[in-house]
Amino acid sequence: MTGVQKPDDIGQWLAAAQGGDAAAYRRALAAIAPPVRRYAARVLARAGAAQQAEDVVQEVLIAVHVKLHTYRAGENAMPWIYGIARYKAADMLRRMRVRKVSLDDPSFGMEIGDDAGMEAAQAQLDLDRLLALLPPPQGEMVRALKVEGQSVETLAATYGMSAANVKVTVHRALRKLAAMTMRGKKERDGTT
Amino acid sequence: MKTDELMTMLSQTPPVRPRLSLHAAVILLLLCAACVIVAVLGVRPDLAAAMRTYGFWGKTIFLGAGLALAGYGLCLAARPVRFKDWPMLMIGMLWGALLKLTAMELEYASLDGIIGSWFSVAGWTCFGFVSLYGLIAMGVLARLMRDYAPADPRHAAMYVGFTAALAGATGYSIHCRMDNAAYVVFAYGVPILMLVLIARIALPKFLRW
């Protein structure tokens, strides 16, 4: 699977899969896995359990298979998929009873000597660290809207909020991020 | 197993379908309640006369609308997507309207008479049937709900309780001769609230998926 799939594509494939189209179903599952993997890694990383993300992906795929009849053809597929992913990630955390939060996560691993990779991974870690400091679901919403490029409408449907509320929440989160970044910069300038 | 292998395996297996949809189950439960009532207790003898009164239609519309809203909310709650819970709000407004009617009724009817009707044979029969049938219907709906994917099992459990109890109450109303608001609020309301509470406490763990 190459390129980023539009949510509409996934919805159409899921609808075709409900009618028994195995090829469309395979495409849908392949398109669902990457965003769910990112989501699960992000949620589990807060509890220091990002290595379990692949287990969550597999559980989500099985749930998609078993609960496919709850998807309504024609609706945006992403809120439905994230609804399942949220449930399964929470279920995993509940089972693990993980309390420790760590960002020392193998999913951020890189080749030694790969400077570009190191920088990208460091930026990813910084972003994750900052977003993890925001109260839920602000961090998830900022990432979904500003990093993954999801629409406000999709987020509104995912979180059961109005579009205006999503915009206000993200705006507040960005202000908090800006304040945190400025504070960090001042602290660094003060120590050097 | 690797994720790619899992995807291939899943895509080659036909998707799972529930044995019975929730919509169909709610309609079937209502029909069953009506059939049981007609077979065991019979239709109310004054049906023709009652159909010319506002009280009869008020009760029928109240219970029928409550069941329709609860059934619709049940179907919404059965999905992994969160939703604005307007069916529960509407059910609350219906109860509010009925309580207002009860307050109006208290102005001209004697309190002793109203309380007497609650604890009459009809009142206990209503309580018994709605509770018993509601419990059975709750079991059926909870089992069906396991084939679905509720975003919040506690929320879904409440809808299971509401729908099951209202199916029993609507079925029983075919036999019930009491149409006044104060009677409906208590004789129907108490078993309905009791079943919602039982469902809210007992079902969430069962509804995890």
Side-chain angles (χ1 to χ4, degrees), chain A residues 18 54 58 67 70 75, chain B residues 1 3 17 79 147-148:
Chain A
Q18 286 177 328
E54 204 56 32
Q58 295 197 358
K67 313 293 182 184
T70 65
E75 74 176 5
Chain B
M1 183 185 281
T3 305
R17 289 191 179 280
R79 304 185 67 239
D147 293 338
Y148 286 77

Side-chain angles (χ1 to χ4, degrees), chain B residues 65-137:
Chain B
L67 177 61
L69 285 167
Y72 187 69
L74 182 77
C75 295
L76 290 177
R79 304 185 67 239
V81 184
R82 289 177 185 174
F83 64 100
K84 288 194 177 73
D85 196 1
W86 63 265
M88 196 67 91
L89 183 71
M90 295 289 285
I91 292 171
M93 285 168 71
L94 274 176
W95 278 104
L98 202 66
L99 284 171
K100 172 71 181 166
L101 285 174
T102 304
M104 288 163 67
E105 204 170 283
L106 285 171
E107 285 177 9
Y108 62 84
S110 82
L111 191 61
D112 289 347
I114 289 173
I115 293 173
S117 73
W118 290 344
F119 297 102
S120 64
V121 175
W124 285 113
T125 314
C126 177
F127 177 83
F129 181 82
V130 175
S131 304
L132 191 64
Y133 188 83
L135 274 176
I136 296 166

Side-chain angles (χ1 to χ4, degrees), chain A residues 67 87-88 91 94, chain B residues 22 74 77-78 138-161 199-209:
Chain A
K67 313 293 182 184
Y87 190 92
K88 290 297 173 186
D91 210 28
R94 200 181 299 125
Chain B
L22 285 171
L74 182 77
M138 207 163 82
V140 173
L141 288 177
R143 176 63 197 86
L144 282 173
M145 185 61 98
R146 280 176 68 87
D147 293 338
Y148 286 77
D152 181 354
R154 291 167 301 182
H155 198 195
M158 282 178 70
Y159 270 112
V160 166
R200 173 66 183 74
I201 293 167
L203 289 184
K205 278 191 178 177
F206 185 72
L207 297 183
R208 281 190 187 167
W209 47 280

Side-chain angles (χ1 to χ4, degrees), chain A residues 13 16-17 19-29, chain B residues 7-8 10-13:
Chain A
W13 293 332
D21 185 340
Y25 193 21
R26 182 71 175 80
R27 280 198 297 275
L29 293 176
Chain B
M7 285 182 203
T8 307
L10 291 177
S11 61
Q12 288 166 357
T13 316

